[in-house]
Amino acid sequence: MGGGGGTEEELTAQETALYDRQIRVWGVDAQKRLSKAHVLVCGVNGTTIEFCKNIVLAGVGSLSLMDDHIVTEDDLSANFLIPHDICMHGVSSRAEACCESLKDFNPMVRVAVAIGDPSLIDEGFVDRFDIIVVSCASLKTKLFINDNCRKRSKHIAFYSVECKDSCGEIFVDLQNHSYLQKKPGGEPEQQELSYASLQEAISVPWKNLPKKTTKLYYAMRVLESYELSEGREPGETTLSDLPAVLAQRKDMCDRMSLSESQIPTALLERLLAAGKKEHPPVCAILGGILGQLCTWFLDLTGGDQVNIL
């Protein structure tokens, strides 16, 4: 795995003792790769903080938090690491408010605040990381970061995750991967995985998507497109924008040859009413899934065999 260090360095006795239980699950080599991995999280909210907790407890090499937004009362509902009295001071960013608490989870993991605007990070900065997770950012920013990841010579995994009330979605771009697949009773075979970029994924005509594609997927794309056209940040739309959002739905459905019934008005109303609010149990689920996806990526980059049962 480029930039994250090799697996030749042995785990210390302290690391082996601390991570003994999970080493029994995924092996020593996977734990070595995890301990050398560097992760950047752009956008600190209830969902990404659940992810951060999981990978810090698992023993990731380093974690950098980038979110200069000042903590507000709305952040307290889903982000369990922000002390409830912190809003009284009004000076801590979301990243700063969570950094020290994450260090307490596992003192062996380097956790730091990365100052800056995700929409302006350069390629040299991106090169410092093996995994980048983006949340509560505009589509323009996500596309920008994903494109930067793909331009680098090293292999950088890109994830975006969003939670609105009790709804959520995760996008994964691991670019191209080769790995060995061991089938029962057979020799390992080399397999290839190829992932679409975010731009490629959202550019697929809706009529070409599988029939099982959820209505939430279409609704999120409508809101995303509306926010982009209006220059809004995620969650800045409200129920007062519903007429304009419905017009956006009609336009997109006409262009994509999709029935408007596939994007129920009630669902759009629900997403607009949620704003930036997250449902804590859903945050925990999404954060858990995202943590597993990142661990799987590190397994793949190590060239491990994947057993298909």
Side-chain angles (χ1 to χ4, degrees), residues 120-192:
L120 300 175
I121 60 177
D122 58 32
E123 295 175 350
F125 181 76
V126 168
D127 265 339
R128 294 164 50 186
F129 304 98
D130 304 292
I131 295 172
I132 296 181
V133 176
V134 182
S135 188
C136 48
S138 67
L139 175 60
K140 182 178 179 181
T141 296
K142 292 177 182 177
L143 291 170
F144 169 73
I145 297 175
N146 185 213
D147 187 53
N148 270 345
C149 289
R150 283 185 156 253
K151 286 179 178 178
R152 311 316 298 152
S153 58
K154 65 176 290 188
H155 203 157
I156 304 174
F158 172 87
Y159 302 83
S160 72
V161 59
E162 296 297 339
C163 179
K164 284 182 175 291
D165 192 45
S166 59
C167 302
E169 67 174 9
I170 297 174
F171 172 79
V172 180
D173 179 12
L174 306 185
Q175 301 180 40
N176 297 311
H177 270 293
S178 297
Y179 67 97
L180 296 178
Q181 181 183 80
K182 185 177 181 181
K183 297 182 179 180
E187 292 298 321
E189 298 177 348
Q190 183 164 312
Q191 302 291 327
E192 300 289 334

Side-chain angles (χ1 to χ4, degrees), residues 44-51 75 78-80 278 280 283-284 287:
V44 177
N45 54 23
T47 302
T48 55
I49 214 62
E50 289 280 357
F51 162 73
D75 295 315
N79 192 328
F80 67 94
E278 302 169 282
C283 293

Side-chain angles (χ1 to χ4, degrees), residues 27-141:
V28 174
D29 287 341
Q31 188 63 45
K32 289 178 184 178
R33 287 190 291 275
L34 182 62
S35 68
K36 301 298 182 292
H38 305 289
V39 179
L40 171 67
V41 172
C42 299
V44 177
N45 54 23
T47 302
T48 55
I49 214 62
E50 289 280 357
F51 162 73
C52 291
K53 174 204 69 179
N54 292 334
I55 62 169
V56 166
L57 288 173
V60 71
S62 72
L63 171 64
S64 297
L65 306 175
M66 179 177 282
D67 194 328
D68 296 342
H69 292 89
I70 299 300
V71 173
T72 66
E73 290 188 9
D74 288 340
D75 295 315
L76 303 180
S77 62
N79 192 328
F80 67 94
L81 283 187
I82 299 179
H84 280 253
D85 61 349
I86 203 167
C87 290
M88 297 175 60
H89 306 290
V91 294
S92 293
S93 70
R94 293 172 185 162
E96 291 169 334
C98 298
C99 184
E100 293 305 315
S101 296
L102 283 170
K103 289 180 181 178
D104 291 339
F105 276 109
N106 189 347
M108 298 181 69
V109 174
R110 300 184 300 279
V111 183
V113 173
I115 305 298
D117 183 344
S119 67
L120 300 175
I121 60 177
D122 58 32
E123 295 175 350
F125 181 76
V126 168
D127 265 339
R128 294 164 50 186
F129 304 98
D130 304 292
I131 295 172
I132 296 181
V133 176
V134 182
S135 188
C136 48
S138 67
L139 175 60
K140 182 178 179 181
T141 296

